[in-house]
Amino acid sequence: MKSLQEQDTEIFELLEKETDRQNYNLELIASENFASKAVISAMGSVLTNKYAEGYPGKRYYGGCEVVDIVEDHARDRAKKLFGADWVNVQPHSGATANAAVYLACMKPGETLLGFDLSHGGHLTHGSPVNFSGINYNAEFYGVEKDTDRLDMNKIRERAKEVKPTMISIGASAYPRDYDYEAFRNIADEVGALLWMDMAHTAGLIATKNLNDPLPHAHVVTTTTHKTLRGPRGGMILVGKDGENTIGVTAAKSGRTKNWGEVFDSAVFPGTQGGPLMHVIAAKAVSFGEALQEDFKTYQTQTQKNAKAMADKFIELGYDLVSNGTDNHLILIDLRNKGLNGKIAEEALGEAAITVNKNMVPFDTESPFVTSGIRIGSPAMTTRGLKEAEFEQIAVLIDKVLQKPGDTENHKKVEQEVRDLCDRFPLYDFVTA
Ligand code: PLP
């Protein structure tokens, strides 16, 4: 058989270009990371050929004896990593994991109370353009104007007002941690299910660098490719008290199966067909990596780096949403600098600094322009950068944002970015 390079030069050259881009850009998108060579190898394996509808020991296809063991490893390692009672590692993405939770827990037309999308929440938590907002009645809670933080008393009032079937926690752009116990008390008070989408913070939660939702939420979903540093994909978990709570889940969904089966059947056949066994193998590899001691060191450094960068930005006169961060990301409100997110993202892109424009709470700009940028530390921390380099990154960003229209200046900053990237090499391969 031919190699990719021999078979398809056009695609191979594009992969070379993308590898070069990843090697020589400051990757600061908070939802991205750099998977290891081992994880990438598993994804690029012959397991992509295998159909395995169903679950280990209960497949609809022959020849599953090897992939059964692979999926068992992925499940066992995930359970160990998060102290979960039950997991499903088949969701193709975070959004499909969430779709399965809705299918299992809510009937169309029932009410979800979710984190306001313009305050950091995710599309799948009730956006009117997403299945969650189309099929369900989405109501929202948000952060307070003076603190940019959640006020649990206000959320309790909101929950009493809208009487949700399910309350969701979790966001794509919230720099603070959550009080899961308080959320659970509210859910119990109004008879709602509690769902935490820890897509962004799963890695930090696995190492207990952030509060743990599993003992409190009825169900937890995640992506596997953000702070968790695995392959692109999703997962559903239930904590130790799942057995007590699933009775509620089953009743609400009109099903009588036990709790594992409720979510398993919501994934397959509920929302997906055959699992991506090559991705599940890569998930197993990444969970194995996350169970090593150095993963704790990595998450701690990710958090320290975000904090160091936040402090530097504040020193440079930037306005940070909630005035700092507890986790891996910061959100900068650029209005006091006379800038918007679109201009900033484009100018930084010219200097090989990759961030994304982002709405800030109570934004006055449209989602296509936005008043803010979101900056995350997970990817560059994987490359080995520490606090000093993250402070340097804040200075480089400031250099660009001081003169967003000055392309000559951007070129000079790009050279500094290249020098920094050279000190922390990344990929020495195009295909693993
Ligand atoms: N949930 C949250 C909180 C997210 O931030 C994201 C993605 O950014 C998702 C779900 C969706 O994940 P995916 O892009 O894998 O569908």
Side-chain angles (χ1 to χ4, degrees):
M1 282 189 201
K2 290 180 184 167
S3 68
L4 173 62
Q5 192 169 12
E6 291 156 350
Q7 176 67 33
D8 196 327
T9 325
E10 211 173 353
I11 295 298
F12 184 80
E13 282 175 5
L14 286 170
L15 295 196
E16 270 186 323
K17 257 192 175 163
E18 175 60 12
T19 308
D20 189 63
R21 190 194 69 78
Q22 293 191 17
N23 280 339
Y24 282 103
N25 268 255
L26 287 186
E27 184 51 75
L28 299 170
I29 292 183
S31 51
E32 292 188 12
N33 211 328
F34 298 118
S36 70
K37 189 171 187 174
V39 166
I40 294 172
S41 294
M43 262 189 292
S45 71
V46 296
L47 266 58
T48 191
N49 299 329
K50 189 71 202 97
Y51 243 112
E53 279 179 0
Y55 291 97
K58 291 174 283 179
R59 303 283 190 187
Y60 291 85
Y61 286 80
C64 289
E65 52 283 359
V66 176
V67 293
D68 271 6
I69 302 171
V70 170
E71 187 164 347
D72 275 339
H73 279 314
R75 297 201 289 197
D76 290 345
R77 290 176 188 181
K79 280 188 205 166
K80 194 165 169 201
L81 188 58
F82 290 99
D85 243 15
W86 171 92
V87 302
N88 187 306
V89 294
Q90 291 194 2
H92 300 330
S93 72
T96 61
N98 294 352
V101 166
Y102 280 96
L103 185 69
C105 299
M106 287 174 65
K107 292 205 184 94
E110 286 187 341
T111 300
L112 169 85
L113 177 59
F115 198 154
D116 194 327
L117 309 177
S118 64
H119 292 195
H122 188 255
L123 272 177
T124 54
H125 300 195
S127 162
V129 295
N130 181 263
F131 77 89
S132 56
I134 294 169
N135 293 336
Y136 304 95
N137 172 42
E139 301 284 352
F140 299 100
Y141 61 83
V143 297
E144 296 305 300
K145 208 162 187 172
D146 50 341
T147 59
D148 296 322
R149 292 176 188 242
L150 298 174
D151 177 331
M152 297 313 293
N153 289 325
K154 295 256 176 75
I155 297 172
R156 174 177 289 104
E157 290 316 308
R158 192 88 183 97
K160 283 181 176 167
E161 194 186 318
V162 304
K163 300 182 183 57
T165 301
M166 185 160 74
I167 298 174
S168 70
I169 324 172
S172 305
Y174 184 55
R176 297 297 175 181
D177 205 354
Y178 303 96
D179 182 346
Y180 297 111
E181 201 177 341
F183 265 108
R184 178 57 185 264
N185 287 338
I186 294 170
D188 287 346
E189 225 175 294
V190 299
L193 290 167
L194 186 62
W195 157 42
M196 166 60 179
D197 177 351
M198 61 172 184
H200 260 263
T201 48
L204 291 155
I205 287 170
T207 52
K208 305 279 188 275
N209 284 61
L210 289 177
N211 295 334
D212 185 358
L214 266 87
H216 306 287
H218 295 100
V219 60
V220 176
T221 56
T222 186
T223 53
T224 46
H225 47 273
K226 298 186 172 103
T227 48
L228 202 47
R229 208 166 56 182
R232 196 153 286 280
M235 174 160 68
I236 308 177
L237 308 99
V238 175
K240 291 282 178 214
D241 70 344
E243 215 156 348
N244 304 326
T245 58
I246 202 67
V248 189
T249 310
K252 293 232 179 203
S253 66
R255 297 171 196 224
T256 52
K257 292 176 180 173
N258 76 39
W259 57 276
E261 285 172 355
V262 170
F263 287 112
D264 274 348
S265 59
V267 174
F268 173 83
T271 48
Q272 291 190 172
L276 309 176
M277 292 315 306
H278 54 305
V279 177
I280 290 173
K283 285 174 183 170
V285 173
S286 68
F287 301 154
E289 290 173 354
L291 284 164
Q292 308 293 313
E293 239 162 65
D294 60 358
F295 195 65
K296 169 79 184 169
T297 315
Y298 163 66
Q299 296 297 343
T300 303
Q301 193 63 50
T302 296
Q303 221 171 9
K304 281 186 188 167
N305 288 347
K307 172 123 186 38
M309 185 169 54
D311 290 346
K312 192 69 188 177
F313 273 118
I314 290 170
E315 194 187 307
L316 293 167
Y318 286 85
D319 180 9
L320 266 58
V321 169
S322 84
N323 218 24
T325 177
D326 292 331
N327 55 29
H328 63 298
L329 68 85
I330 63 173
L331 197 55
I332 304 182
D333 185 336
L334 294 164
R335 286 177 287 196
N336 72 338
K337 296 279 182 184
L339 289 170
N340 64 45
K342 187 168 185 285
I343 291 174
E345 181 189 298
E346 283 168 10
L348 290 166
E350 283 176 26
I353 300 174
T354 316
V355 303
N356 65 282
K357 60 177 180 283
N358 213 100
M359 299 284 276
V360 296
F362 312 100
D363 211 323
T364 40
E365 295 285 357
S366 78
F368 300 104
V369 177
T370 81
S371 295
I373 48 173
R374 185 184 67 162
I375 308 181
S377 59
M380 295 312 290
T381 305
T382 292
R383 287 184 79 153
L385 278 69
K386 294 210 165 67
E387 289 97 316
E389 290 83 26
F390 270 85
E391 285 172 10
Q392 188 189 342
I393 288 175
V395 171
L396 291 176
I397 290 176
D398 182 49
K399 274 190 190 172
V400 173
L401 296 186
Q402 277 187 29
K403 302 177 195 165
D406 184 345
T407 41
E408 275 310 302
N409 184 48
H410 300 164
K411 289 283 155 256
K412 280 187 208 147
V413 173
E414 187 183 4
Q415 191 49 54
E416 290 186 64
V417 167
R418 283 194 84 82
D419 294 345
L420 188 56
C421 290
D422 271 332
R423 283 176 50 213
F424 297 91
L426 180 60
Y427 292 126
D428 60 359
F429 58 88
V430 173
T431 52

